[in-house]
Amino acid sequence: MTSQAAAPDKKPVRGTQTLAKRVREALLSLGGEAHRGLVIESVARKLGHDARQIPEELEAALICSFEDNWRDERRRAAYGFHLPFGEGSHRWSVVREPAYH
């Protein structure tokens, strides 16, 4: 933990494909649709975090992973990400069978 002290100016939070896959797995385990807070808690638990104290960086990276992949048409199709109530909604969903190309 000492080498990665939080630098206030250095905060480009980015989602990753690995996190996007974890979001997809969490959504599927939650029945295909859930509030993003539940999805974040689920992923955090699987990564060994206490769901009551999820690191802000992890939460931001998970949200970014979902949103970045949802906004890109190809990646949205690949992961099956969907916002059932439209942009800005905190309800996330996933189609069970992604359209891998």
Side-chain angles (χ1 to χ4, degrees):
M1 282 192 160
T2 53
S3 65
Q4 295 211 343
D9 342 299
K10 192 178 172 191
K11 262 205 177 172
V13 174
R14 293 182 35 180
T16 65
Q17 300 310 304
T18 301
L19 288 179
K21 288 175 187 173
R22 289 184 181 273
V23 167
R24 178 175 167 71
E25 290 167 6
L27 279 165
L28 289 171
S29 73
L30 292 166
E33 184 174 319
H35 187 278
R36 77 179 189 187
L38 286 175
V39 176
I40 291 166
E41 284 179 21
S42 177
V43 173
R45 266 192 232 102
K46 286 189 178 190
L47 291 173
H49 295 282
D50 180 342
R52 296 167 295 178
Q53 297 179 334
I54 299 168
E56 287 181 29
E57 299 81 21
L58 176 59
E59 183 174 349
L62 288 167
I63 292 169
C64 189
S65 290
F66 182 92
E67 290 179 353
D68 287 352
N69 286 293
W70 177 79
R71 290 183 195 290
D72 182 280
E73 190 176 335
R74 244 185 218 162
R75 289 185 293 174
R76 179 176 52 230
Y79 287 101
F81 288 162
H82 179 61
L83 287 172
F85 298 112
E87 190 167 357
S89 169
H90 290 190
R91 186 90 181 158
W92 292 352
S93 72
V94 66
V95 288
R96 295 199 179 268
E97 294 298 322
Y100 291 108
H101 296 281

